[in-house]
Amino acid sequence: MDLLALADFNLVARHGGFGRAARAAERPKATLSRRVADLEAGLGVRLFERGSHALKLTQEGRVLFERTETLLTELGEATAAIASGGQTPRGRLRISAPLLFSQMALGKLSAEFALRYPEVRLEITTEDRAVDMVEEGYDLVIRVNPDPNEHLIGRILLRDRLVAVASPALQRPMEDAPVPAVVRASSDQSTWELTTHEGDLRVHIDPILRLASLVMIRDAVRTGIGAAVLPLSLVTGDLRSGVLEHWGDVKGRPIEIWALYPSRRLLSTRVSAFLEFLKEAFPLGIPEELSAYIEG
């Protein structure tokens, strides 16, 4: 198989068209079209469905793209590393990360990483769903309490815990009287099970406000409208300054933020560099470190 033709096919597939690929690579469109046509002829299959306004991968084309894109990237990295005599991280690094961690830390982290490794092109998408790393072309995913997956390995970046907090102006829970609460829009909880210095405490809640994100909930709770359950890292500064009070820790599984990657491949230098960068930012992996990083 002609590797140059295969590389041009990947270029066109990645950009979704001959024109966009030609502009991105500063190559003649006719050359890319001829190379892809030669590849199709050699394989005896159509790799693209060519419509009047769109270019779409065929089933065979998608399989070829999914199985060769990463291999070609690693081949290019290996060639560049040998040519430069070193293992300088370079190339595209695609990461999927959860919404809250992205909002809290990844803007600053990604900028600092880009300054340290200017030859890496970092792309971070924010989503809380469980993405398919191979199918969707991610090099690394960051997830909260991920389910076990035999195809992925990784490391814990941070540990956090949920705490119940409220403004000092809000009366603490008394007996079975419900307290006003700000909760996630999808929550169906009617009670919180807390651990306090005085012992276990069950708090009955009256959800008076339902919001989509934890940052929105934190901002609402600051006004004194109600209590809320939030990650400690998100409210450490408010607890220290007295804006919010700690009612207790929520019983249950602690929060673990993991970095995951496919186990079947050796780590690329860019993924290894990003993992070490995260470890440097959060050496102990405790919520206070994340809070201090945000405030800093």
Side-chain angles (χ1 to χ4, degrees), residues 171-214:
Q171 185 176 2
R172 285 178 173 264
M174 300 291 290
E175 297 180 353
D176 292 333
V179 299
V182 185
V183 301
R184 291 289 293 267
S186 58
S187 174
D188 59 359
Q189 284 186 309
S190 59
T191 60
W192 295 334
E193 302 291 336
L194 306 180
T195 300
T196 72
H197 293 303
E198 291 77 29
D200 293 344
L201 175 66
R202 172 174 291 182
V203 178
H204 297 270
I205 62 172
D206 176 19
I208 61 170
L209 193 58
R210 297 179 180 272
L211 301 175
S213 82
L214 294 178

Side-chain angles (χ1 to χ4, degrees), residues 30-259:
T31 300
L32 296 179
S33 180
R34 184 181 69 253
R35 285 265 179 81
V36 171
D38 290 344
L39 183 62
E40 289 178 318
L43 294 173
V45 296
R46 291 179 64 85
L47 300 173
F48 291 107
E49 295 292 350
R50 297 164 173 80
S52 56
H53 300 290
L55 191 71
K56 183 180 179 182
L57 285 166
T58 63
Q59 181 177 351
E60 293 82 3
R62 179 163 297 281
V63 170
L64 183 64
F65 178 59
E66 290 171 354
R67 295 189 179 183
T68 60
E69 183 188 27
T70 299
L71 294 175
L72 286 173
T73 298
E74 293 179 347
L75 180 61
E77 289 176 352
T79 303
I82 292 171
S84 64
Q87 288 290 318
T88 302
R90 55 170 52 87
R92 186 175 65 160
L93 176 57
R94 297 194 69 228
I95 297 174
S96 171
L99 177 62
L100 182 60
F101 185 68
S102 299
Q103 291 175 330
M104 293 173 68
L106 279 182
K108 181 180 175 182
L109 276 167
S110 61
E112 292 174 346
F113 181 82
L115 288 172
R116 182 178 297 184
Y117 300 104
E119 295 186 59
V120 176
R121 294 294 176 260
L122 184 59
E123 300 176 13
I124 298 178
T125 59
T126 297
E127 49 202 341
D128 289 324
R129 68 183 179 89
V131 301
D132 186 318
M133 288 191 64
V134 177
E135 178 74 21
E136 300 178 53
Y138 287 107
D139 300 290
L140 184 74
V141 297
I142 299 174
R143 284 293 170 264
V144 178
N145 290 351
D147 293 328
N149 187 323
E150 63 180 3
H151 302 296
L152 300 178
I153 58 175
R155 64 178 68 168
I156 296 177
L157 300 177
L158 287 160
R159 288 181 171 85
D160 208 340
R161 66 180 189 272
L162 293 174
V163 293
V165 296
S167 166
L170 188 68
Q171 185 176 2
R172 285 178 173 264
M174 300 291 290
E175 297 180 353
D176 292 333
V179 299
V182 185
V183 301
R184 291 289 293 267
S186 58
S187 174
D188 59 359
Q189 284 186 309
S190 59
T191 60
W192 295 334
E193 302 291 336
L194 306 180
T195 300
T196 72
H197 293 303
E198 291 77 29
D200 293 344
L201 175 66
R202 172 174 291 182
V203 178
H204 297 270
I205 62 172
D206 176 19
I208 61 170
L209 193 58
R210 297 179 180 272
L211 301 175
S213 82
L214 294 178
V215 173
M216 293 170 65
I217 293 174
R218 190 270 316 274
D219 292 346
V221 169
R222 285 171 171 171
T223 70
I225 192 173
V229 165
L230 291 166
L232 176 60
S233 60
L234 189 60
V235 294
T236 296
D238 291 325
L239 294 174
R240 185 171 56 248
S241 65
V243 172
L244 297 176
E245 286 188 346
H246 177 233
W247 281 9
D249 293 353
V250 177
K251 290 183 177 181
R253 180 182 178 184
I255 300 171
E256 294 179 347
I257 301 177
W258 284 72

